[in-house]
Amino acid sequence: MLNVKKWRSNTLPDTKYRILVINPGSTSTKIGVFDNEISIFEKTIRHDSEMINSFDNIIDQYEFRKNTILETLDNAGINISKLSAVCGRGGLLRPIEGGTYAVNTTMLEDLRTGFAGQHASNLGGIIAYEIASGLNIPSFIVDPVVVDELEPIARISGFSLIERVSIFHALNQKAVARRVSKELGKKYTELNLIVTHMGGGITVGVHKQGKVIDVNNGLHGDGPFSPERAGTVPVGDLVALCYSGQYYRDEIMKKLVGQGGLVGYLGTNDAVEVEKRIEAGDEQASLIYEAMAYQVAKEIGAASAVLAGKVDAIVLTGGLAYGKGFVKSITDRINWIADTIVHPGENELQALAEGALRVLRGEERVKEYPGTFKKAKI
């Protein structure tokens, strides 16, 4: 495996780096090629569902997806021999602190065996390594969803058999936090930010001097409801529903994740469609949409308490941040806390390229997985 530090030490500060980034999804793979921060090629590769379903396990798809990526690059006239590094989306790994990690044998083993679960994102690091190793260049992952920088007090749930865990949109939250820091003329490690990613799931992260010390679990029932997820629900009523005999376990989970939130109330996860219904006079759609904004604002308010009110800025990002009415409903309730900065959308390919670039330029030290992460005992 390539020694990244040794390789980097021979480069010049003004070197132009060409980086291939890979973001696998369930039925597609997004790829991009960047010259430093500038995108020169991006493509969403749609995979035939019959082909994807022919594999017994997600991890078995890596050879097929790798070959498809290489074929796409070749057809686009991209010469991979000019690449400086390959960066893949981080998958379900052990809890780690944020940053850019070199893909190593321990990481590959955890991705292949599904240490924390099987997900298409697990393929990112594997494919990046497979392509990079043949070119004798480094491979990385950046800020996977398992980034865990919680303070011990944030892990306490109130129920001794369950602790709060960190699962959130780490890649986009960290990337946007760094961009906002530059806009404010400060280092990320100097600021206290509340970053809210609003997409299919919604996560509100408390960024204290470069660490996300508290964040809601946007996947499994914590925080605001979202287009597809139920968020925090009354526990007693949920337990009663689980034991009512009306539903199997998987049915309940689908109602919480995938069929919760806007889908459960309005039958759609499309915010644009909901806004059109509201414009047409749909009072139920208006109430539910406003309730989602209300819950986001309430979570941001709670996050400001974590920082004892010492908040430099509040950042709204993700697809829902394009909705001006939705953003206004939130900001009207939180503008007393701090200035709100809106960065709509999520450019994951750009974030991956920037993570690799920081290491290649020597702005950050590459991290070795699984590192020295130690979760405080409760």
Side-chain angles (χ1 to χ4, degrees):
M1 191 166 297
L2 186 66
N3 185 321
V4 178
K5 294 179 183 178
K6 182 178 179 181
W7 177 83
R8 192 182 67 233
S9 66
N10 295 323
T11 63
L12 299 173
D14 59 350
T15 301
K16 182 172 76 173
Y17 299 100
R18 178 161 291 186
I19 305 164
L20 168 64
V21 295
I22 301 167
N23 182 12
S26 57
T27 59
S28 66
T29 303
K30 296 178 182 178
I31 62 172
V33 178
F34 289 76
D35 281 348
N36 290 351
E37 297 93 341
I38 306 302
S39 171
I40 63 169
F41 175 76
E42 292 188 23
K43 175 80 172 181
T44 298
I45 304 170
R46 308 287 180 185
H47 302 300
D48 180 73
S49 58
E50 187 174 334
M51 174 62 75
I52 290 294
N53 293 332
S54 69
F55 295 98
D56 293 332
N57 301 299
I58 289 175
I59 217 65
D60 295 334
Q61 300 172 17
Y62 91 87
E63 186 90 33
F64 160 71
R65 294 210 193 204
K66 182 191 77 171
N67 291 336
T68 304
I69 290 169
L70 293 174
E71 181 181 346
T72 301
L73 292 172
D74 186 55
N75 290 339
I78 302 294
N79 183 352
I80 64 171
S81 68
K82 294 183 179 180
L83 293 176
S84 306
V86 186
C87 188
R89 181 71 184 269
L92 299 178
L93 294 161
R94 303 168 194 265
I96 54 177
E97 66 178 3
T100 299
Y101 286 78
V103 180
N104 59 22
T105 53
T106 304
M107 182 187 295
L108 290 171
E109 179 66 17
D110 284 352
L111 291 172
R112 286 173 177 143
T113 59
F115 175 86
Q118 292 287 357
H119 190 272
S121 60
N122 288 17
L123 294 165
I126 297 172
I127 297 173
Y129 175 79
E130 291 288 333
I131 294 175
S133 61
L135 299 169
N136 197 33
I137 58 176
S139 55
F140 306 110
I141 66 163
V142 180
D143 290 327
V145 295
V146 295
V147 165
D148 187 336
E149 299 167 340
L150 298 187
E151 291 188 340
I153 198 169
R155 301 186 190 281
I156 307 296
S157 71
F159 183 43
S160 63
L161 299 181
I162 299 174
E163 70 173 37
R164 297 183 67 244
V165 297
S166 179
I167 298 178
F168 71 110
H169 304 90
L171 181 63
N172 189 44
Q173 281 211 23
K174 290 269 191 179
V176 172
R178 290 186 182 97
R179 288 177 202 142
V180 168
S181 299
K182 287 184 179 179
E183 292 171 6
L184 296 177
K186 298 279 189 177
K187 294 180 180 179
Y188 176 41
T189 53
E190 296 174 341
L191 295 175
N192 290 343
L193 304 170
I194 297 173
V195 183
T196 302
H197 175 104
M198 304 182 299
I202 295 175
T203 54
V204 180
V206 181
H207 296 239
K208 182 179 181 181
Q209 297 173 0
K211 300 288 185 184
V212 183
I213 63 169
D214 200 349
V215 66
N216 64 295
N217 181 339
L219 180 61
H220 286 159
D222 192 17
F225 74 82
S226 73
E228 299 176 348
R229 298 168 194 174
T232 301
V233 297
V235 176
D237 293 337
L238 178 60
V239 171
L241 193 63
C242 290
Y243 284 91
S244 67
Q246 299 179 57
Y247 304 100
Y248 291 108
R249 180 184 182 278
D250 289 348
E251 290 177 305
I252 290 290
M253 288 303 297
K254 285 180 180 179
K255 288 185 176 296
L256 293 172
V257 181
Q259 298 175 1
L262 293 186
V263 174
Y265 285 109
L266 303 175
T268 181
N269 63 359
D270 187 343
V272 175
E273 180 183 334
V274 174
E275 289 173 351
K276 289 179 179 178
R277 292 187 196 179
I278 294 171
E279 291 174 3
D282 188 328
E283 294 183 0
Q284 176 69 358
S286 179
L287 175 64
I288 299 304
Y289 206 48
E290 179 68 19
M292 187 165 69
Y294 170 87
Q295 289 198 5
V296 171
K298 194 162 68 166
E299 191 77 13
I300 291 171
S304 71
V306 173
L307 293 169
K310 297 175 182 177
V311 182
D312 293 299
I314 297 168
V315 184
L316 303 181
T317 184
L320 291 177
Y322 284 111
K324 293 181 179 179
F326 185 71
V327 166
K328 186 176 186 303
S329 293
I330 296 170
T331 54
D332 284 348
R333 290 186 168 93
I334 63 170
N335 56 19
W336 56 273
I337 300 171
D339 289 340
T340 301
I341 300 171
V342 182
H343 274 265
E346 54 178 310
N347 196 334
E348 293 170 333
L349 297 182
Q350 182 82 38
L352 290 171
E354 289 172 355
L357 190 58
R358 287 192 297 274
V359 166
L360 296 175
R361 284 174 168 169
E363 297 170 357
E364 285 184 14
R365 183 174 297 177
V366 66
K367 295 181 177 179
E368 295 296 326
Y369 178 82
T372 57
F373 173 86
K374 290 183 179 179
K375 185 172 66 175
K377 293 183 179 180
I378 295 175

